Amino acid sequence: MPWWGQGSIPVAEIEQFYRQLNVTESRDNTGWLSWSVSYPLVAVLRGGGAIKLLELTDAEAVLYLEQQIERRLGIADQPIADEMVKDGWVPRS
């Protein structure tokens, strides 16, 4: 599967995809605090480890991509700890 990183990931090595929530806190030069929110799409590899494939600011777009890629590759959706789902998050075990 091609991705924005280096090379490609063999489809046989991909176990699952999931969407995360990434909140970044920062202060501007006047001291005002602000937050930015983004949603990485992550591929979980069969041998362990994970690779961030992309990161967008639209949660629904990332969910759509996750669902479409899993459907195209024949991967059944499985809950992953800390995965962002429609009504919240999958808890850690």
Side-chain angles (χ1 to χ4, degrees):
M1 177 177 161
W3 66 297
W4 284 261
Q6 300 223 348
S8 62
I9 305 166
V11 172
E13 290 184 21
I14 299 171
E15 183 175 335
Q16 190 60 237
F17 293 93
Y18 71 99
R19 174 180 60 157
Q20 286 182 321
L21 170 66
N22 184 17
V23 179
T24 305
E25 181 180 293
S26 62
R27 289 189 185 272
D28 66 15
N29 59 357
T30 64
W32 283 97
L33 186 60
S34 65
W35 294 270
S36 61
V37 178
S38 60
Y39 305 91
L41 177 61
V42 179
V44 177
L45 305 179
R46 291 191 188 283
I51 298 173
K52 180 171 74 171
L53 301 176
L54 58 86
E55 192 164 353
L56 302 175
T57 57
D58 184 339
E60 293 302 314
V62 176
L63 177 60
Y64 174 80
L65 290 170
E66 174 192 353
Q67 292 169 338
Q68 293 303 308
I69 294 169
E70 286 177 342
R71 193 175 111 228
R72 175 79 168 112
L73 298 179
I75 297 172
D77 191 37
Q78 299 292 321
I80 302 289
D82 290 336
E83 175 180 17
M84 182 181 175
V85 293
K86 189 163 184 78
D87 297 321
W89 291 266
V90 175
R92 290 184 182 168
S93 19

